[in-house]
């Protein structure tokens, strides 16, 4: 880990922290919630030894990167704007890179391919497939209709209130990484009492978990939560792209225990033609048995090899 280089890069009017290692074609890794560049530590080390320059930023609002105060500064256009300029900085000659995304990072990677396909050589996305836009139903309303007002996306809309409930950062971060809670009832956020010890999964050591905890104790969760607070605004702004296809060569991977895989209609969309229709560039879908949401940390060797094999076709 000591060999990983850290620096700040000014892009799109803000400072973004990046971690990087290796020489060769750039792979840009985009993390999800509630994560950091650190979620890609296994990929940074492995793929930098396979001939790639691996780069993982803290997205705006996270970690060492700037945290704009305004909720309105976290739309998909702001964040993709960060990525476009970052790509130009990382590869000033070709201005085009390989991209790997997970969770929110996957959503943003799909958007990057939708808005600026000229910036992406090929894409590997984890855990969240491209989500087809519905002209008529706002996303937050859709989740609330399915899951009720305790659903985490509904709760995340409550500016200030949910931050107050997330004050016990150590427990909140470890709960999300261990067993991502779909429902967050007021007054009883998690299944376990807050004073009950939490057993971390085998793929996450106490030291690794504490890296996240230390960072979020410094920054809080408002920046990351602001991504969710722009879901409906993104929906309004994305209307011109309804029906657009993603032609970028893409591979998709997820675990069969992932909460996303079990959302209503998701398996049918992924396996029965809808996903392929929206993403004509989709080359392969891989579902790993017995794997949950944080796939890059749960099965690093398999994920690393899949990434290497896929990107090797597009040099």
């Amino acid at each position: 880990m000591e060999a990983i280089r850290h620096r700040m890069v000014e892009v799109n009017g803000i400072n973004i922290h990046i971690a990087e290692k290796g020489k060769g074609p750039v792979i840009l890794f985009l993390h999800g919630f509630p994560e950091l560049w650190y979620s890609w530590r296994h990929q940074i080390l492995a793929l930098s030894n396979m001939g790639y320059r691996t780069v993982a930023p803290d997205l705006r609002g996270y970690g060492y990167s700037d945290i704009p105060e305004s909720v309105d500064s976290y739309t998909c256009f702001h964040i993709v704007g960060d990525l476009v300029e970052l790509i130009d900085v990382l590869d000033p000659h070709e201005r085009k890179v390989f991209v790997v995304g997970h969770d929110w990072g996957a959503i943003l990677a799909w958007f990057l391919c939708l808005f600026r396909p000229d910036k992406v050589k090929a894409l590997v996305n984890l855990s969240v497939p491209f989500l087809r836009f519905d002209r008529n139903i706002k996303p937050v309303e859709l989740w609330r209709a399915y899951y009720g007002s305790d659903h985490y996306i509904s709760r995340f809309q409550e500016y200030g209130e949910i931050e107050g409930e997330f004050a016990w950062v150590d427990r909140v971060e470890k709960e999300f990484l261990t067993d991502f809670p779909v429902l967050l009832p007021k007054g009883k956020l998690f299944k376990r009492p807050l004073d009950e010890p939490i057993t971390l999964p085998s793929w996450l050591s106490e030291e690794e978990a504490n890296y996240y905890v230390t960072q979020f104790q410094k920054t809080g969760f408002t920046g990351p939560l602001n991504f969710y607070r722009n879901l409906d605004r993104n929906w309004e702004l994305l209307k011109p792209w309804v029906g657009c296809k993603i032609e970028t060569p893409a591979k998709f991977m997820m675990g069969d225990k992932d909460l996303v895989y079990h959302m209503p209609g998701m398996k049918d969309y992924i396996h029965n033609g809808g996903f392929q229709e929206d993403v004509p560039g989709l080359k392969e879908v891989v579902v790993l048995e017995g794997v949950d949401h944080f796939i890059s940390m749960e099965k690093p060797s398999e994920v690393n090899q899949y990434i290497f094999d896929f990107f090797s076709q597009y040099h």
Side-chain angles (χ1 to χ4, degrees), residues 26 32 43 52-53 78 85 101 113 171 175 198 211 232 244 261 271 293 299:
V26 174
Q43 287 67 44
Y52 288 94
R53 180 183 171 198
H78 289 85
E85 192 165 347
C113 293
R171 188 50 177 259
E175 284 280 1
I198 187 166
Y211 181 87
D232 283 352
C244 286
Y261 194 51
H271 297 295
H293 185 63
K299 293 292 181 183

Side-chain angles (χ1 to χ4, degrees), residues 203-214:
W203 48 266
L204 186 69
S205 71
E206 194 72 32
E207 182 183 1
E208 289 171 323
N210 285 337
Y211 181 87
Y212 293 97
V213 171
T214 300

